[in-house]
Amino acid sequence: MQEDVEQKTLMLIVNGSKFTGRLLKAVITMYMAYRKEVKLEKQRKREMPVAHRGKQTVKQLTQQNQGVSNIDIQDKEIRQFERIARKYGVDYAVKKDRSTSPPKYMIFFKGRDADAITAAFQEYMGRKLRRETRTSVLERLAAIKKENKRELCRWLKQEQGIPMNPDAMFDIQSKRLHEYKRQQLNLLYLIHQYFEIKAGHLPPVPLVSIFGAKAAPAYIIAKDIIHALLTLSKVIAADPVVSPWLQIVFVENYNVTAAEKMIPACDLSEQISLASKEASGTGNMKFMLNGALTLGTMDGANVEISQQVGNENIYIFGQTSNQVIRRYAAGDYKASEWYEGDPNLRRAIDFLTGPEMTAAGSSELLSRLQTELKNKDWFQTLPDFSAYVVRKGQALADYAANPLDWSRRCLINIAKAGLFSSDRTIAEYDRNIWHLGK
């Protein structure tokens, strides 16, 4: 259209003027300038990158210089994911990797679209989860968990000569041995459970409590906690009334090899640090991804896990971070008052230096730990004791009452673990802090 207008303009100039050599030169010059501009405009359009939207090739996506991340989907239902991605307006590319069996799909997306791709992926997994929470799927998941538990039993029998009951609930606390991570809270619960079983109050299912931890060589109280757990394990193993229902296993030299056996076999993941003390934690994510339900405080990444799975699929207990911080600020926490005020707590702490324990362990080490708990308890174990006992009891009851529903909740935890992908994390760091894609 523009070219037609320019040609008519030239014709008017020629037809409406006296034709001279000077005029001819001017017309030719004008026309040549116009043609040059047309040529340059076409060249600019050819060189201008096409603004691709939606699904595109990996090359087209990377050429936009906005930073590219990727996630993997090992699923033949990739087309359903693509429909959801379009709904969220995500620019993405799909590459099929045939080097694995079954093949997996790599979804590439712009760094700035990390939130949108996360939302799309969560909707996709939610739809998939609703389809897959059929009885057959849950039974298969339960069978995989049972085999993982049998494998851990075989490995511990071979490595440490310890027999375990694979039909029991496997309750695992594996992490650095430190007072703020509160293995001592688990210890007091196990003593409490010892007394309950002795009194004829049997749990709904046998419990195997497994610990994997190391203490710093100079951390005296941490080593005293290890000693107390090992001593209690001997007392329980020697008791014919308690031992069929309760067992303590302390994994020697806890390392990656041990973790590879323990984490997939876990039913209940202990994440019981004092609220406000854990920066994040990653063990809780590993247990979640491998189909364990979390028993924990609102601390570290437990907060994000609870947000992802919902309160009905996690066991939260204890003080909040604000309550803990206020207690520290006021300086009014006295462990002795809690010891005196709770008979169950007092019974458990007194048992540390009772005849059963001192006969199997060191009275010096046990007395030192008892004194620490009664008179100091810097990481506020005692205020959370009762809530911990109640929530752990609820977890045992749920596990025994409806195994299929337990598997359903485990599957929800697995499906919701995608938030903790390193791809999403790095993309978020880049978007909010590094800005490397700009």
Side-chain angles (χ1 to χ4, degrees):
M1 180 68 181
Q2 180 63 31
E3 184 175 355
D4 186 48
V5 170
E6 295 290 346
Q7 287 176 343
K8 289 181 178 179
T9 302
L10 291 172
M11 290 174 65
L12 284 171
I13 293 172
V14 173
N15 293 334
S17 305
K18 184 178 179 181
F19 193 80
T20 64
R22 183 178 296 176
L23 176 60
L24 179 60
K25 180 180 179 183
V27 170
I28 294 173
T29 301
M30 183 183 296
Y31 181 72
M32 293 303 294
Y34 160 72
R35 295 302 302 167
K36 182 177 181 181
E37 182 61 32
V38 169
K39 185 177 180 181
L40 289 172
E41 181 63 25
K42 288 181 178 179
Q43 185 176 345
R44 280 194 294 267
K45 287 182 178 180
R46 284 196 301 270
E47 293 175 352
M48 185 180 297
V50 179
H52 297 283
R53 291 291 179 264
K55 186 178 181 182
Q56 51 203 271
T57 66
V58 175
K59 183 178 180 181
Q60 289 169 339
L61 198 67
T62 55
Q63 284 177 340
Q64 296 173 47
N65 297 321
Q66 295 189 32
V68 174
S69 299
N70 70 281
I71 56 175
D72 294 345
I73 296 183
Q74 291 185 329
D75 199 307
K76 59 186 178 182
E77 299 175 3
I78 187 65
R79 290 182 179 177
Q80 181 181 357
F81 177 81
E82 291 186 67
R83 286 195 294 271
I84 297 172
R86 287 195 293 270
K87 168 186 169 183
Y88 284 88
V90 174
D91 297 337
Y92 69 98
V94 178
K95 184 176 181 181
K96 189 173 184 178
D97 181 2
R98 292 183 172 84
S99 64
T100 61
S101 182
K104 68 179 180 181
Y105 295 88
M106 301 175 70
I107 310 296
F108 294 86
F109 59 94
K110 298 174 184 175
R112 65 172 176 80
D113 286 341
D115 289 340
I117 201 76
T118 299
F121 190 73
Q122 287 177 342
E123 180 174 332
Y124 164 75
M125 290 306 299
R127 292 185 184 183
K128 184 175 177 173
L129 186 61
R130 285 191 291 274
R131 292 195 308 275
E132 293 187 351
T133 49
R134 299 187 299 269
T135 300
S136 58
V137 174
L138 299 179
E139 288 174 346
R140 176 60 180 149
L141 180 62
I144 292 170
K145 178 65 73 172
K146 177 59 72 68
E147 181 53 36
N148 290 339
K149 292 170 74 172
R150 290 195 185 102
E151 177 58 29
L152 177 59
C153 290
R154 288 190 289 266
W155 183 75
L156 277 170
K157 178 68 174 175
Q158 175 184 322
E159 296 295 318
Q160 295 182 215
I162 299 175
M164 296 194 309
N165 175 12
D167 295 322
M169 172 188 265
F170 281 13
D171 170 63
I172 299 182
Q173 187 174 9
S174 62
K175 53 185 76 260
R176 178 164 55 99
L177 204 306
H178 197 289
E179 288 172 277
Y180 92 83
K181 292 181 180 290
R182 301 202 298 186
Q183 285 90 347
Q184 68 273 21
L185 178 57
N186 204 342
L187 166 67
L188 294 177
Y189 167 85
L190 292 167
I191 296 173
H192 172 77
Q193 198 71 352
Y194 168 87
F195 278 109
E196 291 296 295
I197 295 170
K198 293 283 280 185
H201 305 143
L202 301 180
V205 64
L207 177 68
V208 177
S209 191
I210 305 171
F211 293 84
K214 294 179 180 178
Y219 195 171
I220 300 301
I221 294 300
K223 293 196 291 186
D224 289 346
I225 294 169
I226 293 176
H227 174 260
L229 285 166
L230 290 170
T231 302
L232 181 60
S233 70
K234 295 175 186 176
V235 172
I236 291 172
D239 192 309
V241 174
V242 180
S243 58
W245 294 98
L246 188 62
Q247 183 181 15
I248 299 175
V249 176
F250 206 104
V251 177
E252 298 172 355
N253 191 31
Y254 181 67
N255 54 22
V256 172
T257 299
E260 288 174 342
K261 304 292 184 182
M262 293 165 62
I263 293 174
C266 180
D267 294 310
L268 190 64
S269 164
E270 296 270 354
Q271 308 297 331
I272 59 176
S273 57
L274 177 62
S276 79
K277 294 298 180 182
E278 188 70 79
S280 171
T282 55
N284 46 11
M285 304 172 195
K286 299 183 184 86
F287 282 104
M288 174 194 189
L289 183 60
N290 281 271
L293 297 190
T294 300
L295 171 63
T297 54
M298 285 298 272
D299 194 32
N302 292 350
V303 176
E304 285 79 15
I305 291 175
S306 66
Q307 291 169 347
Q308 290 299 301
V309 304
N311 291 333
E312 67 277 13
N313 298 308
I314 189 171
Y315 295 93
I316 295 294
F317 74 95
Q319 303 174 91
T320 66
S321 295
N322 287 337
Q323 289 173 322
V324 170
I325 292 168
R326 280 198 299 269
R327 205 185 286 277
Y328 277 125
D332 59 358
Y333 173 57
K334 294 181 180 178
S336 58
E337 293 179 355
W338 289 84
Y339 166 79
E340 295 293 344
D342 186 337
N344 287 330
L345 196 50
R346 186 167 62 253
R347 179 180 66 177
I349 294 175
D350 288 348
F351 184 75
L352 287 171
T353 55
E356 297 90 347
M357 291 288 282
T358 55
S362 165
S363 58
E364 177 187 354
L365 304 186
L366 293 167
S367 295
R368 185 165 57 203
L369 177 59
Q370 183 187 69
T371 300
E372 184 77 16
L373 288 170
K374 287 170 59 175
N375 300 318
K376 184 179 178 183
D377 186 31
W378 180 249
F379 293 100
Q380 301 181 23
T381 306
L382 308 192
D384 282 348
F385 173 76
S386 293
Y388 178 62
V389 169
V390 170
R391 286 299 266 170
K392 198 162 181 174
Q394 182 184 349
L396 281 164
D398 291 345
Y399 180 86
N402 194 338
L404 208 60
D405 187 62
W406 184 274
S407 293
R408 179 188 64 80
R409 296 161 73 200
C410 291
L411 184 58
I412 289 172
N413 271 261
I414 294 170
K416 297 293 186 178
L419 176 72
F420 303 106
S421 160
S422 59
D423 288 328
R424 180 205 62 84
T425 306
I426 298 303
E428 188 173 296
Y429 270 111
D430 184 38
R431 185 175 67 255
N432 297 336
I433 300 171
W434 300 333
H435 309 299
L436 298 178
K438 294 185 178 179

